[in-house]
Amino acid sequence: MSDTLPPVIVLVRPQLGENIGKAARAMLNFGLVEMRLVTPRDGWPNPSAGPAASGADIVLERAQVFDSVAAAVADCPHVYATTVRKRGVTKPVVTPEQAAAAIHQAPGRSAILFGPERSGLETDDVALAREIITVPINAEFGSLNLAQAVILVAYEWSKGTGLASPPETDLPAPAPQEELDGMIAQLDVMLQQTDFFYPPARTPVTRRTLRTLLTKPGWSSQEVRTLRGVLSALGGKRPRN
Amino acid sequence: MSDTLPPVIVLVRPQLGENIGKAARAMLNFGLVEMRLVTPRDGWPNPSAGPAASGADIVLERAQVFDSVAAAVADCPHVYATTVRKRGVTKPVVTPEQAAAAIHQAPGRSAILFGPERSGLETDDVALAREIITVPINAEFGSLNLAQAVILVAYEWSKGTGLASPPETDLPAPAPQEELDGMIAQLDVMLQQTDFFYPPARTPVTRRTLRTLLTKPGWSSQEVRTLRGVLSALGGKRPRN
């Protein structure tokens, strides 16, 4: 777990309450809870936000409203501005991945600015930030909406937290070799009663090929038992009437 | 640029045309253009899809419709199933990041399955896949919608497109899914003539167990042919005198 504080998500002059709700949902999915709103167009609270948040109410309830971007980030030593395309600004441009790594290292609070749906951040908003986050995107089709931009940034941040510990799998261990050998021996006996190993000169190669492909899966003991049941059934033991 | 093919995005029984459009938009943002639809609830084309795609029309125009998941992934040797939560399945679980890295290394086409909005993939859909992709998410609030899941997977894939790492493996590619399906069907017919599927009530579970363990190895086309030879031999074709 990172010891540093999670970043604050700042929506600058957001237009639709629905998009504020979607951004809240995107945030909470990846463990971010602090949203700040700068002069939302339709005021706050906004009745359209709740339904779109799909249960991320805690983010909306805690959201704070500010009169200016400067006020919203006043307590944050690290301010990032998200933009879709590079602009003629002379600031470092980083990916969400690079920003997330920096945020996890940074002492003090980080804030990430997202602009209004239609137009994005103004130059004056960007000027407040030390760095710019740009999502590398299809140059011929850049069409990230607000919630999508938020979710990608939140997702990258979450990788540095406990959330991102590699998922555990229930994959069982491969069976001990002797169990696999038992199955291969059973199959071999059955195949000797057919023409599978014909001609005899090729039998060693064929046996090796079979062993290789049956060893490859790493089947569990249970799987080996199932396959031995298959072989027994095919071999005609206990034929069904 | 990676030399390998971009993955196919397979929407399994999607419900709303709007969500199909949003998924298309998510894909094209990160350079993915091939969408396949398995029995979309409201048919196809769907007039709600276009407006939601925000200009990603090329993805919708090229979308192909299939009657079954098996048909949709028939040409794909690497099939991933996306699920939100862990299930009691014995398959490897990977993050979008890990899956993306593997897809960039994999010879042959990869397909990524996404389930219906409300319920996600069925167990039988997951059974077709070799690996499961799960986005590490806030355990107390997991609420990723379809387009969000698609965008995270597409985004991770896009990160590898700038890299020039040629696929380096001597391992043969897994056989296309239809070849594996042919072998499983051959075995199934043979087993129906035995008591293997007894009692009948357990047959679906037994079939799924078999499919899972036969999907696990990632056998090559040559290996599948060898195994079909084994089955033919055991089935008594051309019995040796």
Side-chain angles (χ1 to χ4, degrees):
Chain A
M1 289 289 287
S2 165
D3 286 337
T4 56
L5 293 165
V8 175
I9 299 298
V10 184
L11 305 189
V12 179
R13 300 181 299 278
Q15 300 174 294
L16 295 174
E18 184 187 353
N19 290 329
I20 299 171
K22 287 178 177 175
R25 176 183 182 178
M27 289 170 59
L28 194 56
N29 266 313
F30 296 104
L32 295 181
V33 294
E34 191 165 347
M35 173 185 272
R36 298 182 183 177
L37 303 171
V38 177
T39 59
R41 187 190 68 185
D42 300 334
W44 191 255
N46 182 319
S48 303
S54 299
D57 301 318
I58 190 173
V59 177
L60 299 177
E61 287 161 10
R62 291 190 187 178
Q64 293 176 280
V65 180
F66 295 84
D67 283 341
S68 68
V69 177
V73 302
D75 61 334
C76 300
H78 312 282
V79 180
Y80 294 85
T82 55
T83 67
V84 174
R85 286 169 207 84
K86 283 172 199 160
R87 296 158 178 247
V89 288
T90 52
K91 292 177 193 277
V93 177
V94 297
T95 62
E97 194 171 13
Q98 292 165 329
I103 289 169
H104 281 295
Q105 295 297 322
R109 210 71 196 266
S110 296
I112 307 173
L113 310 179
F114 293 84
E117 292 92 324
R118 186 158 298 277
S119 53
L121 291 169
E122 302 278 343
T123 307
D124 282 345
D125 305 320
V126 176
L128 285 166
R130 193 165 300 124
E131 298 191 61
I132 291 172
I133 298 176
T134 296
V135 179
I137 208 169
N138 183 350
E140 290 157 23
F141 180 79
S143 174
L144 274 189
N145 66 27
L146 177 58
Q148 288 171 335
V150 170
I151 206 169
L152 292 175
V153 169
Y155 164 74
E156 284 290 2
W157 176 81
S158 79
K159 287 188 186 175
T161 71
L163 285 185
S165 53
E168 292 165 25
T169 168
D170 299 328
L171 211 58
Q177 193 72 19
E178 64 184 345
E179 295 180 17
L180 185 65
D181 283 348
M183 185 188 80
I184 292 173
Q186 181 182 359
L187 175 61
D188 198 273
V189 167
M190 290 169 68
L191 288 173
Q192 284 176 42
Q193 294 159 14
T194 73
D195 67 349
F196 188 76
F197 287 129
Y198 190 84
R202 294 205 65 248
T203 302
V205 173
T206 305
R207 280 212 167 96
R208 198 177 306 128
T209 299
L210 264 188
R211 171 174 285 280
T212 295
L213 72 84
L214 294 172
T215 302
K216 181 176 179 178
W219 281 315
S220 68
S221 294
Q222 179 58 52
E223 288 173 325
V224 169
R225 278 195 295 277
T226 299
L227 286 167
R228 294 200 68 159
V230 167
L231 292 176
S232 295
L234 295 178
K237 282 190 195 167
R238 300 186 301 137
R240 199 177 168 196
N241 297 323
Chain B
M1 288 291 285
S2 166
D3 286 337
T4 56
L5 294 164
V8 175
I9 300 297
V10 184
L11 305 188
V12 179
R13 301 182 297 280
Q15 300 175 293
L16 294 174
E18 183 187 354
N19 289 328
I20 299 171
K22 287 179 178 175
R25 176 184 183 180
M27 288 170 60
L28 194 56
N29 265 315
F30 295 105
L32 295 181
V33 294
E34 191 165 346
M35 172 186 274
R36 298 182 184 178
L37 303 171
V38 177
T39 60
R41 186 189 68 185
D42 300 333
W44 189 256
N46 183 319
S48 303
S54 299
D57 300 318
I58 191 173
V59 177
L60 299 177
E61 285 160 12
R62 291 190 187 178
Q64 292 175 281
V65 179
F66 295 85
D67 284 340
S68 67
V69 177
V73 302
D75 61 334
C76 299
H78 311 283
V79 181
Y80 294 85
T82 54
T83 66
V84 174
R85 284 170 207 84
K86 285 173 201 163
R87 294 158 178 248
V89 287
T90 53
K91 292 180 192 274
V93 178
V94 298
T95 62
E97 192 170 15
Q98 291 166 329
I103 289 169
H104 281 295
Q105 295 296 321
R109 210 72 197 264
S110 297
I112 307 172
L113 310 179
F114 293 85
E117 292 90 323
R118 185 158 299 278
S119 53
L121 291 170
E122 302 277 344
T123 307
D124 282 344
D125 305 321
V126 176
L128 285 165
R130 194 164 298 123
E131 300 194 57
I132 291 172
I133 299 176
T134 296
V135 180
I137 208 169
N138 184 351
E140 288 156 26
F141 180 79
S143 174
L144 274 190
N145 67 26
L146 177 58
Q148 289 171 336
V150 170
I151 206 168
L152 292 175
V153 169
Y155 164 74
E156 283 289 2
W157 176 81
S158 77
K159 285 188 189 175
T161 56
L163 305 174
S165 50
E168 22 174 311
T169 171
D170 293 321
L171 275 180
Q177 194 79 13
E178 63 187 341
E179 294 180 17
L180 185 66
D181 282 348
M183 184 189 81
I184 291 173
Q186 181 181 1
L187 175 61
D188 197 89
V189 167
M190 290 170 68
L191 288 174
Q192 285 175 40
Q193 295 158 14
T194 73
D195 66 349
F196 187 75
F197 287 129
Y198 190 85
R202 292 205 66 248
T203 302
V205 172
T206 304
R207 281 212 166 97
R208 199 178 303 132
T209 299
L210 265 188
R211 172 173 283 279
T212 293
L213 70 85
L214 294 173
T215 300
K216 181 176 179 180
W219 281 316
S220 68
S221 294
Q222 179 58 53
E223 288 172 324
V224 168
R225 277 196 295 278
T226 299
L227 285 167
R228 294 200 67 160
V230 166
L231 292 176
S232 295
L234 295 179
K237 281 189 196 166
R238 300 187 302 137
R240 199 175 167 198
N241 297 324

